[in-house]
Amino acid sequence: MGALDDDVAVTFETRARELDRLHAATDLRDRFELPAGLVYLDGNSLGALPRGVRAAVADMVGLQWGTDLVSSWNDHGWWEAPLRVGDAIAPLLGAGPGQVVVGDSTTVRLHQALHAVASLRQDRRVLLTDAASFPTDLYVAAGVAEQLGWSVVTATPDEAPAALARLAAEGRPVAAVAYSQVDYRTGRLWDLPGVTAAAHRAGALAVWDLCHSAGALEVGLDEHQVDLAVGCTYKFLNGGPGSPAYLYVAHRHQREAANVLPGWHGHARPFSMEPRYEAAAGVARFRVGTPPMLSMAALEAALSAFGGIDVATVRRRSLSLTRFLRDALEALVPGVEVVTPQNDARRGSQVSVRHPQAYGVVRAMAARGVVGDFRSPDVVRLGVAAPYLTHTDMLTAARTFRQVLDGSEQLDPSYTSRAQVT
Ligand SMILES: *Cc1c(COP(=O)(O)O)cnc(C)c1O
């Protein structure tokens, strides 16, 4: 860097220190185990390991499974875990108790949610979704549409109000809108309250995927009268690889909404072993089969990382971090193309940069201790899990980006060949 750049960098260093002091009370890094010196910007893909998870998993394996064996279903509360852990996640989603059930993957939960829509809106056959959705969401939408004879129409969430009106005028009323609150690639935060209200005005339901928002920002499911929602727990909720997903079904729909995957864990009397299915009361009817209890134990312990802190506080810290990271990238990396919105109200908890050699940039940064990820076709994605990151980390990330480009390290053949998981 030249002399002028050095001045800019020093100014940013001073600002980073000031901001870290200002936000010291919400620095929760001590609640996590992270390798020293690593700047981990991939907590929106696999969250870091919260302290306490090791001991909880050791207890689950050693005592609960190893010693107490099958009695643990009763004695250690295994049976109730999907609802108990659902109620523990609920406050992070702005949901009251009794509406969130944990188990299975987001993919399975979305399948259930869209089929539940079919039972609640039997006279409607159009699903409105975003063509830029995470692929699994698109595959599920297409699969469910094929099963039910629906058609899938695409529009961004901003375009949804107009699309709902147009489809109604054409005599093709929409059964539901199915959107992600945050675009996984660009980090754009959509208007969940506005889109949900527009759906309701058109007689449609609103289904939201919270994978990139839960644990990072306010969702307000009850306040905004969202109908159904799904999300994974291994991103900002730090539940660990393969931790089970959740499904939210608003109280008002629980009696009428059908479960397309009836299973014995969702039966009204599972241990009477009846040949005919009868759904349990409440959100329990959306349980399927035996949940992954080792992962459930890790997730339950992981949630204690949010103990005593509300999601609005996490969000304030996140906005400060992403604002600073955006500014630092634009000041320190000439020609950088940030695709994540500048407007706080439209930004999720990441900063994405478009670059023609995005994959090589990600690999070269990782080799320098700054771990982000690549999203096809050309996005460097820097996820910001506010509880364990600082403004100083943000500056390190921006400087590392610059160093990689200065040395053309992204063109190094050892960084350009794709690994299986990007
Ligand atoms: C991460 C993510 C998923 C993951 O689905 P799984 O079934 O849990 O693998 C789904 N949708 C979105 C929007 C995601 O970001």
Coordinates of all heavy atoms in Angstrom, one line a residue, residues 275-352:
P275 N -52.9 -48.7 14.7 CA -52.7 -48.8 13.3 C -53.1 -47.6 12.5 O -52.6 -47.4 11.4 CB -53.5 -50.1 12.8 CG -54.5 -50.2 13.9 CD -54.0 -49.7 15.2
R276 N -54.0 -46.8 13.1 CA -54.5 -45.6 12.3 C -53.9 -44.4 12.9 O -53.8 -44.2 14.1 CB -56.0 -45.6 12.4 CG -56.7 -45.0 11.2 CD -58.2 -45.0 11.4 NE -58.7 -44.3 12.6 CZ -58.7 -43.0 12.7 NH1 -58.5 -42.2 11.7 NH2 -59.1 -42.4 13.9
Y277 N -53.5 -43.4 12.0 CA -52.9 -42.2 12.4 C -53.9 -41.2 13.0 O -55.0 -41.0 12.3 CB -52.1 -41.5 11.3 CG -51.4 -40.3 11.6 CD1 -50.2 -40.3 12.4 CD2 -51.9 -39.0 11.3 CE1 -49.5 -39.1 12.7 CE2 -51.2 -37.8 11.6 CZ -50.1 -37.9 12.3 OH -49.4 -36.8 12.6
E278 N -53.6 -40.7 14.1 CA -54.4 -39.5 14.6 C -53.4 -38.5 15.1 O -52.6 -38.7 16.0 CB -55.3 -40.0 15.8 CG -56.2 -38.9 16.3 CD -57.0 -39.3 17.5 OE1 -57.5 -40.5 17.6 OE2 -57.2 -38.5 18.4
A279 N -53.5 -37.3 14.5 CA -52.5 -36.2 14.8 C -52.6 -35.8 16.3 O -53.7 -35.6 16.8 CB -52.7 -35.1 13.9
A280 N -51.4 -35.5 16.9 CA -51.4 -34.9 18.2 C -51.9 -33.5 18.2 O -52.1 -32.9 17.1 CB -49.9 -34.9 18.7
A281 N -52.2 -33.0 19.3 CA -52.7 -31.6 19.4 C -51.5 -30.7 19.2 O -50.3 -31.1 19.6 CB -53.4 -31.4 20.7
G282 N -51.7 -29.5 18.8 CA -50.7 -28.5 18.7 C -49.6 -28.7 17.7 O -49.8 -29.6 16.8
V283 N -48.5 -28.1 17.8 CA -47.4 -28.1 16.8 C -46.7 -29.5 16.9 O -46.0 -29.9 15.9 CB -46.4 -27.0 17.0 CG1 -45.4 -27.3 18.2 CG2 -45.7 -26.7 15.7
A284 N -47.0 -30.3 17.9 CA -46.4 -31.7 18.0 C -46.8 -32.5 16.8 O -46.1 -33.5 16.5 CB -46.8 -32.3 19.3
R285 N -47.9 -32.2 16.2 CA -48.4 -33.0 15.1 C -47.5 -32.9 13.9 O -47.6 -33.7 13.0 CB -49.8 -32.6 14.7 CG -49.9 -31.3 14.0 CD -51.3 -31.0 13.5 NE -52.3 -31.2 14.5 CZ -53.6 -31.3 14.3 NH1 -54.1 -31.2 13.1 NH2 -54.4 -31.5 15.3
F286 N -46.6 -32.0 13.9 CA -45.6 -31.8 12.8 C -44.3 -32.6 13.0 O -43.4 -32.5 12.2 CB -45.4 -30.4 12.4 CG -46.6 -29.7 11.9 CD1 -47.5 -29.0 12.7 CD2 -46.9 -29.9 10.5 CE1 -48.6 -28.5 12.1 CE2 -48.1 -29.4 10.0 CZ -48.9 -28.7 10.8
R287 N -44.2 -33.3 14.2 CA -43.1 -34.2 14.4 C -43.2 -35.3 13.4 O -44.3 -35.6 12.9 CB -43.2 -34.8 15.8 CG -43.0 -33.7 16.9 CD -43.1 -34.3 18.3 NE -42.0 -35.3 18.5 CZ -41.6 -35.6 19.7 NH1 -42.2 -35.1 20.8 NH2 -40.6 -36.5 19.9
V288 N -42.1 -35.9 13.0 CA -42.1 -37.0 12.0 C -41.7 -38.3 12.7 O -42.5 -39.0 13.3 CB -41.2 -36.6 10.8 CG1 -41.4 -37.7 9.7 CG2 -41.7 -35.3 10.2
G289 N -40.4 -38.6 12.6 CA -39.9 -39.8 13.3 C -38.9 -39.4 14.4 O -38.8 -38.3 14.8
T290 N -38.1 -40.4 14.8 CA -37.1 -40.2 15.9 C -36.1 -39.1 15.5 O -35.5 -39.2 14.5 CB -36.4 -41.5 16.2 OG1 -37.4 -42.5 16.4 CG2 -35.5 -41.4 17.4
P291 N -36.0 -38.1 16.4 CA -35.0 -37.0 16.0 C -33.6 -37.4 16.3 O -33.3 -38.3 17.1 CB -35.5 -35.9 16.9 CG -36.2 -36.6 18.1 CD -36.7 -37.9 17.6
P292 N -32.6 -36.7 15.7 CA -31.2 -37.0 16.0 C -30.8 -36.4 17.3 O -30.5 -35.3 17.5 CB -30.5 -36.2 14.8 CG -31.4 -35.1 14.5 CD -32.8 -35.6 14.8
M293 N -30.8 -37.3 18.4 CA -30.7 -36.8 19.7 C -29.3 -36.2 20.1 O -29.2 -35.3 20.9 CB -31.1 -37.9 20.8 CG -32.6 -38.1 20.8 SD -33.6 -36.6 21.0 CE -32.9 -36.0 22.5
L294 N -28.2 -36.8 19.4 CA -26.9 -36.2 19.7 C -26.8 -34.8 19.2 O -26.3 -33.9 19.9 CB -25.8 -37.1 19.1 CG -25.7 -38.5 19.5 CD1 -24.5 -39.2 18.9 CD2 -25.6 -38.6 21.0
S295 N -27.3 -34.5 18.0 CA -27.3 -33.2 17.5 C -28.3 -32.3 18.3 O -28.1 -31.1 18.4 CB -27.8 -33.2 16.0 OG -26.7 -33.7 15.2
M296 N -29.4 -32.9 18.7 CA -30.4 -32.1 19.5 C -29.7 -31.6 20.8 O -29.9 -30.4 21.2 CB -31.6 -33.0 19.8 CG -32.7 -32.3 20.4 SD -33.7 -31.3 19.2 CE -34.7 -32.6 18.5
A297 N -28.9 -32.5 21.4 CA -28.2 -32.1 22.6 C -27.2 -31.0 22.4 O -27.1 -30.0 23.2 CB -27.5 -33.3 23.3
A298 N -26.5 -31.1 21.3 CA -25.5 -30.0 20.9 C -26.3 -28.7 20.7 O -25.9 -27.6 21.2 CB -24.8 -30.4 19.7
L299 N -27.4 -28.8 20.0 CA -28.1 -27.5 19.7 C -28.7 -26.9 21.0 O -28.6 -25.7 21.2 CB -29.3 -27.9 18.7 CG -30.4 -26.8 18.5 CD1 -29.7 -25.5 17.9 CD2 -31.5 -27.3 17.6
E300 N -29.2 -27.7 21.8 CA -29.8 -27.2 23.0 C -28.8 -26.5 23.9 O -29.0 -25.4 24.4 CB -30.5 -28.3 23.9 CG -31.3 -27.8 25.0 CD -32.3 -28.8 25.6 OE1 -32.0 -30.0 25.4 OE2 -33.2 -28.4 26.3
A301 N -27.6 -27.1 24.0 CA -26.5 -26.4 24.7 C -26.0 -25.2 24.0 O -25.7 -24.1 24.6 CB -25.4 -27.4 24.9
A302 N -26.0 -25.2 22.7 CA -25.5 -24.1 21.9 C -26.3 -22.8 22.1 O -25.8 -21.7 22.1 CB -25.5 -24.4 20.4
L303 N -27.6 -23.0 22.3 CA -28.5 -21.9 22.4 C -28.2 -21.0 23.6 O -28.6 -19.9 23.7 CB -30.0 -22.4 22.4 CG -30.5 -22.9 21.1 CD1 -31.9 -23.6 21.3 CD2 -30.6 -21.9 20.0
S304 N -27.5 -21.7 24.6 CA -27.2 -20.9 25.8 C -26.2 -19.8 25.5 O -26.0 -18.8 26.3 CB -26.6 -21.8 26.9 OG -25.4 -22.4 26.5
A305 N -25.6 -19.8 24.3 CA -24.7 -18.7 23.9 C -25.5 -17.4 23.7 O -24.9 -16.3 23.8 CB -24.0 -19.0 22.6
F306 N -26.8 -17.5 23.6 CA -27.7 -16.3 23.5 C -28.3 -15.9 24.8 O -29.1 -15.0 24.9 CB -28.8 -16.5 22.5 CG -28.3 -16.6 21.0 CD1 -28.0 -17.8 20.4 CD2 -28.2 -15.4 20.3 CE1 -27.6 -17.8 19.1 CE2 -27.7 -15.4 19.0 CZ -27.5 -16.6 18.4
G307 N -27.8 -16.6 25.9 CA -28.4 -16.4 27.2 C -28.2 -14.9 27.7 O -27.1 -14.4 27.6
G308 N -29.3 -14.3 28.1 CA -29.2 -13.0 28.7 C -29.0 -11.9 27.7 O -28.8 -10.7 28.0
I309 N -29.1 -12.2 26.4 CA -29.0 -11.2 25.4 C -30.1 -11.3 24.4 O -30.4 -12.4 23.9 CB -27.6 -11.3 24.7 CG1 -27.3 -10.1 23.7 CG2 -27.4 -12.6 23.9 CD1 -25.8 -9.8 23.6
D310 N -30.8 -10.2 24.0 CA -31.9 -10.3 23.1 C -31.4 -10.1 21.7 O -30.3 -9.5 21.4 CB -33.1 -9.5 23.5 CG -32.8 -8.0 23.4 OD1 -31.7 -7.6 22.9 OD2 -33.6 -7.2 23.8
V311 N -32.2 -10.5 20.7 CA -31.7 -10.5 19.3 C -31.6 -9.1 18.8 O -30.8 -8.8 17.9 CB -32.6 -11.4 18.5 CG1 -34.0 -10.8 18.2 CG2 -31.9 -11.9 17.2
A312 N -32.3 -8.1 19.4 CA -32.2 -6.7 18.9 C -30.8 -6.2 19.3 O -30.2 -5.5 18.5 CB -33.3 -5.9 19.6
T313 N -30.3 -6.7 20.4 CA -28.9 -6.3 20.8 C -27.9 -6.9 19.8 O -26.9 -6.2 19.4 CB -28.6 -6.8 22.2 OG1 -29.7 -6.2 23.0 CG2 -27.3 -6.3 22.7
V314 N -28.1 -8.2 19.5 CA -27.2 -8.8 18.5 C -27.2 -8.1 17.2 O -26.2 -7.8 16.5 CB -27.6 -10.3 18.3 CG1 -26.8 -11.0 17.2 CG2 -27.5 -11.1 19.6
R315 N -28.4 -7.7 16.8 CA -28.6 -7.0 15.5 C -27.9 -5.6 15.5 O -27.3 -5.2 14.5 CB -30.1 -6.8 15.3 CG -30.5 -5.9 14.1 CD -30.0 -6.5 12.8 NE -30.6 -5.8 11.6 CZ -30.2 -5.9 10.4 NH1 -29.1 -6.7 10.1 NH2 -30.7 -5.3 9.4
R316 N -28.0 -4.9 16.6 CA -27.3 -3.6 16.7 C -25.8 -3.8 16.5 O -25.1 -3.0 15.7 CB -27.5 -2.9 18.0 CG -28.7 -2.0 18.0 CD -28.7 -1.0 19.2 NE -28.7 -1.7 20.5 CZ -29.8 -2.3 21.0 NH1 -31.0 -2.2 20.4 NH2 -29.7 -2.9 22.2
R317 N -25.2 -4.8 17.1 CA -23.8 -5.1 16.9 C -23.5 -5.5 15.5 O -22.5 -5.0 14.9 CB -23.4 -6.2 17.9 CG -21.9 -6.5 17.8 CD -21.5 -7.6 18.9 NE -20.1 -7.9 18.8 CZ -19.1 -7.2 19.4 NH1 -19.4 -6.2 20.2 NH2 -17.9 -7.5 19.2
S318 N -24.4 -6.4 15.0 CA -24.2 -6.8 13.6 C -24.2 -5.7 12.6 O -23.4 -5.6 11.7 CB -25.3 -7.9 13.3 OG -25.4 -8.0 11.9
L319 N -25.1 -4.8 12.8 CA -25.2 -3.6 11.8 C -24.0 -2.8 11.9 O -23.5 -2.3 10.8 CB -26.5 -2.8 12.1 CG -27.8 -3.3 11.6 CD1 -28.9 -2.5 12.0 CD2 -27.8 -3.4 10.0
S320 N -23.5 -2.6 13.1 CA -22.2 -1.8 13.2 C -21.1 -2.5 12.5 O -20.3 -1.9 11.8 CB -21.9 -1.5 14.7 OG -20.8 -0.8 14.8
L321 N -21.0 -3.8 12.7 CA -19.9 -4.6 12.1 C -20.0 -4.6 10.6 O -19.0 -4.3 9.9 CB -19.9 -6.0 12.6 CG -19.5 -6.2 14.1 CD1 -19.9 -7.6 14.5 CD2 -18.1 -5.9 14.3
T322 N -21.2 -4.8 10.1 CA -21.3 -4.9 8.6 C -21.1 -3.6 7.9 O -20.6 -3.4 6.8 CB -22.6 -5.6 8.2 OG1 -23.7 -4.9 8.8 CG2 -22.7 -7.1 8.5
R323 N -21.6 -2.5 8.6 CA -21.4 -1.1 8.1 C -19.9 -0.8 8.0 O -19.4 -0.3 7.0 CB -22.1 -0.2 9.1 CG -22.4 1.2 8.5 CD -23.0 2.1 9.6 NE -24.2 1.6 10.1 CZ -24.5 1.5 11.4 NH1 -23.7 1.9 12.4 NH2 -25.7 0.9 11.8
F324 N -19.2 -1.2 9.1 CA -17.8 -0.9 9.1 C -17.0 -1.7 8.1 O -16.1 -1.2 7.4 CB -17.3 -1.2 10.5 CG -15.8 -0.8 10.7 CD1 -15.4 0.5 10.8 CD2 -14.9 -1.8 10.9 CE1 -14.1 0.9 10.9 CE2 -13.5 -1.5 11.0 CZ -13.1 -0.1 11.1
L325 N -17.4 -3.0 7.9 CA -16.8 -3.9 6.9 C -17.0 -3.3 5.5 O -16.1 -3.3 4.7 CB -17.3 -5.3 7.1 CG -16.7 -6.3 6.0 CD1 -15.2 -6.4 6.0 CD2 -17.3 -7.7 6.3
R326 N -18.2 -2.9 5.3 CA -18.5 -2.3 3.9 C -17.6 -1.1 3.7 O -17.0 -1.0 2.6 CB -20.0 -1.9 3.9 CG -20.9 -2.7 3.2 CD -22.3 -2.1 3.0 NE -22.7 -2.0 1.6 CZ -22.4 -1.1 0.8 NH1 -21.6 0.0 1.2 NH2 -22.8 -1.1 -0.5
D327 N -17.6 -0.2 4.7 CA -16.8 1.0 4.6 C -15.3 0.7 4.3 O -14.6 1.3 3.5 CB -16.9 1.9 5.8 CG -18.3 2.5 5.9 OD1 -19.1 2.4 5.0 OD2 -18.6 3.1 7.0
A328 N -14.8 -0.3 5.1 CA -13.4 -0.6 5.1 C -13.0 -1.2 3.7 O -12.0 -0.9 3.1 CB -13.0 -1.6 6.2
L329 N -13.9 -2.1 3.2 CA -13.7 -2.7 1.9 C -13.6 -1.6 0.8 O -12.7 -1.6 0.0 CB -14.8 -3.7 1.6 CG -14.6 -5.0 2.3 CD1 -16.0 -5.8 2.2 CD2 -13.5 -5.9 1.7
E330 N -14.6 -0.7 0.9 CA -14.7 0.4 -0.2 C -13.5 1.3 -0.1 O -13.0 1.8 -1.1 CB -16.0 1.1 -0.1 CG -17.1 0.1 -0.5 CD -18.5 0.7 -0.8 OE1 -18.8 1.8 -0.2 OE2 -19.3 0.2 -1.5
A331 N -13.0 1.5 1.1 CA -11.9 2.5 1.3 C -10.5 1.8 0.9 O -9.6 2.5 0.4 CB -11.8 3.0 2.7
L332 N -10.4 0.5 1.2 CA -9.1 -0.1 1.2 C -8.9 -1.0 -0.1 O -7.8 -1.4 -0.4 CB -8.8 -0.9 2.4 CG -8.8 -0.2 3.8 CD1 -8.7 -1.1 4.9 CD2 -7.7 0.9 3.8
V333 N -10.0 -1.4 -0.7 CA -9.8 -2.3 -1.9 C -10.3 -1.5 -3.1 O -11.6 -1.4 -3.3 CB -10.7 -3.6 -1.7 CG1 -10.4 -4.6 -2.8 CG2 -10.3 -4.2 -0.3
P334 N -9.4 -1.0 -3.9 CA -9.9 -0.2 -5.1 C -10.8 -1.0 -6.0 O -10.5 -2.2 -6.3 CB -8.5 0.1 -5.8 CG -7.5 -0.2 -4.8 CD -8.0 -1.2 -3.8
G335 N -11.8 -0.4 -6.5 CA -12.7 -1.1 -7.4 C -13.6 -2.2 -6.9 O -14.3 -2.9 -7.7
V336 N -13.6 -2.3 -5.6 CA -14.4 -3.4 -5.0 C -15.9 -3.2 -5.3 O -16.4 -2.1 -5.3 CB -14.2 -3.5 -3.5 CG1 -14.9 -2.4 -2.7 CG2 -14.6 -4.9 -3.0
E337 N -16.6 -4.3 -5.6 CA -18.0 -4.2 -5.9 C -18.8 -4.9 -4.8 O -19.1 -6.1 -4.9 CB -18.3 -4.8 -7.3 CG -19.8 -4.6 -7.7 CD -20.1 -5.4 -9.0 OE1 -19.3 -6.0 -9.6 OE2 -21.3 -5.4 -9.3
V338 N -19.2 -4.2 -3.8 CA -20.0 -4.7 -2.8 C -21.5 -4.8 -3.2 O -22.1 -3.9 -3.7 CB -20.0 -3.8 -1.5 CG1 -20.8 -4.4 -0.4 CG2 -18.5 -3.7 -1.0
V339 N -22.1 -6.0 -3.1 CA -23.4 -6.2 -3.6 C -24.5 -6.2 -2.5 O -25.7 -6.1 -2.7 CB -23.6 -7.5 -4.4 CG1 -22.8 -7.4 -5.7 CG2 -23.3 -8.7 -3.6
T340 N -24.0 -6.2 -1.2 CA -24.9 -6.1 -0.1 C -25.3 -4.7 0.1 O -24.5 -3.8 0.1 CB -24.2 -6.7 1.2 OG1 -23.7 -8.0 0.9 CG2 -25.1 -6.7 2.4
P341 N -26.6 -4.5 0.3 CA -27.1 -3.1 0.5 C -26.4 -2.3 1.6 O -26.1 -2.8 2.6 CB -28.6 -3.2 0.8 CG -28.9 -4.6 0.2 CD -27.7 -5.4 0.3
Q342 N -26.3 -1.0 1.3 CA -25.7 0.0 2.2 C -26.7 0.3 3.3 O -26.4 0.6 4.5 CB -25.2 1.2 1.5 CG -24.5 2.2 2.3 CD -23.9 3.3 1.5 OE1 -24.3 3.6 0.3 NE2 -22.9 3.9 2.0
N343 N -28.0 0.4 2.9 CA -29.0 0.8 3.8 C -29.2 -0.3 4.9 O -29.5 -1.5 4.6 CB -30.3 0.9 2.9 CG -31.6 1.2 3.8 OD1 -31.5 1.3 5.0 ND2 -32.7 1.4 3.1
D344 N -29.1 0.1 6.2 CA -29.2 -0.8 7.3 C -30.4 -1.6 7.2 O -30.4 -2.8 7.6 CB -29.2 0.0 8.6 CG -27.8 0.4 9.0 OD1 -26.8 0.2 8.2 OD2 -27.6 1.0 10.1
A345 N -31.5 -1.0 6.8 CA -32.8 -1.6 6.9 C -32.9 -2.7 5.8 O -33.9 -3.5 5.8 CB -34.0 -0.6 6.7
R346 N -32.0 -2.8 4.9 CA -32.0 -3.7 3.8 C -30.8 -4.7 3.8 O -30.6 -5.4 2.9 CB -32.0 -3.0 2.5 CG -33.4 -2.4 2.1 CD -34.5 -3.4 2.2 NE -35.7 -2.9 1.5 CZ -36.3 -3.6 0.6 NH1 -35.9 -4.8 0.3 NH2 -37.4 -3.2 0.0
R347 N -30.1 -4.6 4.9 CA -28.9 -5.5 5.0 C -29.0 -6.6 6.0 O -29.4 -6.3 7.1 CB -27.6 -4.6 5.3 CG -26.3 -5.3 5.1 CD -25.1 -4.3 5.1 NE -25.0 -3.8 6.5 CZ -25.2 -2.5 6.8 NH1 -25.6 -1.6 6.0 NH2 -25.0 -2.2 8.1
G348 N -28.7 -7.8 5.6 CA -28.7 -8.9 6.6 C -27.4 -8.9 7.4 O -26.9 -7.8 7.7
S349 N -26.9 -10.0 7.7 CA -25.7 -10.0 8.5 C -24.5 -10.6 7.8 O -23.8 -11.5 8.3 CB -26.0 -10.9 9.8 OG -25.1 -10.5 10.8
Q350 N -24.3 -10.1 6.6 CA -23.1 -10.5 5.8 C -22.8 -9.3 4.9 O -23.5 -8.4 4.7 CB -23.4 -11.7 4.9 CG -24.4 -11.4 3.8 CD -25.0 -12.7 3.2 OE1 -25.6 -13.5 3.9 NE2 -24.8 -12.8 1.9
V351 N -21.6 -9.4 4.3 CA -21.2 -8.5 3.2 C -20.6 -9.3 2.1 O -19.7 -10.1 2.2 CB -20.1 -7.5 3.7 CG1 -19.7 -6.6 2.6 CG2 -20.7 -6.6 4.8
S352 N -21.3 -9.2 0.9 CA -20.9 -10.0 -0.2 C -20.3 -9.1 -1.3 O -20.8 -7.9 -1.5 CB -22.2 -10.7 -0.9 OG -22.7 -11.6 0.0

